[in-house]
Amino acid sequence: MRSSRDPAENRETAIRLIGEAADAGATYIQTPEMTGLVERSRTDLMEKIHSQDEDPLIPAVQDLARRRGLTIHIGSLALRAGDKIANRAIVIGASGDILATYDKIHLFDVDLPNGESWRESRAYTGGDVAPLVSTPAGRVGVTICYDLRFPYLYRALAEAGADVLTAPACFTRQTGEAHWQVLQRARAIENGAFVISAAQGGLHEDGRETYGHSIIVDPWGVVLAEAGDAPGVILASIDLAAVATARQRIPALQHTRPFSVRRVG
């Protein structure tokens, strides 16, 4: 997606693209981080967002999931959480019920070489629980964007039984060009799991530029599908037998051992 400052427009786009994916045969469908709104101004953001119970995109997606028998993973929405904002993923089952929610744990507070500066912690409140959700596509570990740089999170999800790891994102172009694909492939290879990450892409109305390149990686690190930065749909077949095969070839999950670090000098 290339979400704008207009939540109604983004809602229409998300529903249309989800429908396109379903028409093409998808049964598990994921949207990017900040599906409902990309807005850099905290003041404007707070004026446009809702609590989870009041956000109009969620019931629209629930209805679509119910009517078409889909598992729909909203990569994230900005939702009111007291005087701060939750960056929250929502996984909706084929019944239309919410199966799980996840508030982004790691907040993006960085200064980039090109002058971009981001301080998510000023506006957002971080989560502390990463869900593992049983779906027809397998057991899905739910994370968001910057989480991708914290490999212990994905190892914990894999050790808990994740077949599929996810990191839907709103990656900056600068960091995406440098690190996006290699991090996605690394998380897949390290854990012998599929990685599926939908992404925002292109120049947004609020002035930011995101990298795009929504991606699906298999448990051996092979890229099965990858987009550019234009809005659209990518698809791949998920054969869960590939998870067992990769983990049998390289049984790293079985070889984890406790250790300590000792500073010398």
Side-chain angles (χ1 to χ4, degrees):
M1 293 181 67
R2 186 179 298 150
S3 294
S4 70
R5 287 171 146 170
D6 182 350
E9 177 183 61
N10 298 328
R11 185 165 63 249
E12 181 180 325
T13 299
I15 294 299
R16 175 177 57 79
L17 290 171
I18 291 168
E20 287 183 16
D23 290 344
T27 55
Y28 163 86
I29 300 171
Q30 184 191 115
T31 68
E33 180 184 26
M34 293 293 140
T35 289
L37 180 66
V38 170
E39 174 57 79
R40 190 161 186 168
S41 164
R42 186 181 189 278
T43 300
D44 291 345
L45 186 63
M46 288 297 286
E47 288 178 354
K48 295 175 181 178
I49 64 174
H50 307 271
S51 68
Q52 181 174 316
D53 292 339
E54 296 174 338
D55 189 277
L57 177 60
I58 297 170
V61 173
Q62 288 178 291
D63 179 64
L64 183 56
R66 188 182 303 112
R67 286 189 290 106
R68 304 206 58 174
L70 304 170
T71 301
I72 303 176
H73 175 174
I74 302 173
S76 86
L77 298 173
L79 298 171
R80 285 186 176 273
D83 62 351
K84 282 203 167 186
I85 303 164
N87 186 350
R88 182 170 297 164
I90 299 176
V91 182
I92 296 167
S95 64
D97 295 328
I98 293 176
L99 303 180
T101 64
Y102 165 71
D103 289 358
K104 184 177 180 180
I105 292 173
H106 301 100
L107 302 179
F108 192 53
D109 289 358
V110 300
D111 299 301
L112 299 176
N114 67 350
E116 285 186 72
S117 182
W118 301 92
R119 291 291 181 273
E120 283 190 337
S121 64
R122 290 178 182 170
Y124 292 87
T125 181
D128 57 10
V129 177
L132 182 62
V133 188
S134 293
T135 77
R139 289 164 294 192
V140 176
V142 182
T143 77
I144 297 171
C145 197
Y146 188 48
D147 286 331
L148 191 61
R149 296 183 182 273
F150 299 85
Y152 52 78
L153 175 57
Y154 301 88
R155 176 51 59 94
L157 286 164
E159 288 178 338
D163 306 299
V164 179
L165 301 169
T166 65
C170 195
F171 245 62
T172 68
R173 175 166 293 279
Q174 183 183 15
T175 57
E177 287 175 343
H179 299 147
W180 173 255
Q181 190 188 97
V182 70
L183 287 171
Q184 302 283 343
R185 295 184 66 209
R187 298 297 86 86
I189 293 165
E190 290 164 351
N191 298 295
F194 286 93
V195 174
I196 304 174
S197 299
Q200 297 282 351
L203 184 61
H204 297 261
E205 285 184 344
D206 74 343
R208 83 183 70 193
E209 190 171 8
T210 53
Y211 183 59
H213 289 258
S214 296
I215 195 168
I216 305 170
V217 185
D218 82 1
W220 200 243
V222 176
V223 176
L224 301 179
E226 185 173 3
D229 65 3
V233 172
I234 61 169
L235 300 105
S237 295
I238 304 301
D239 180 1
L240 294 180
V243 175
T245 298
R247 290 175 179 174
Q248 184 177 34
R249 288 177 179 173
I250 307 290
L253 294 180
Q254 299 174 32
H255 294 162
T256 300
R257 298 183 59 191
F259 64 91
S260 60
V261 174
R262 181 181 57 163
R263 290 188 61 176
V264 179

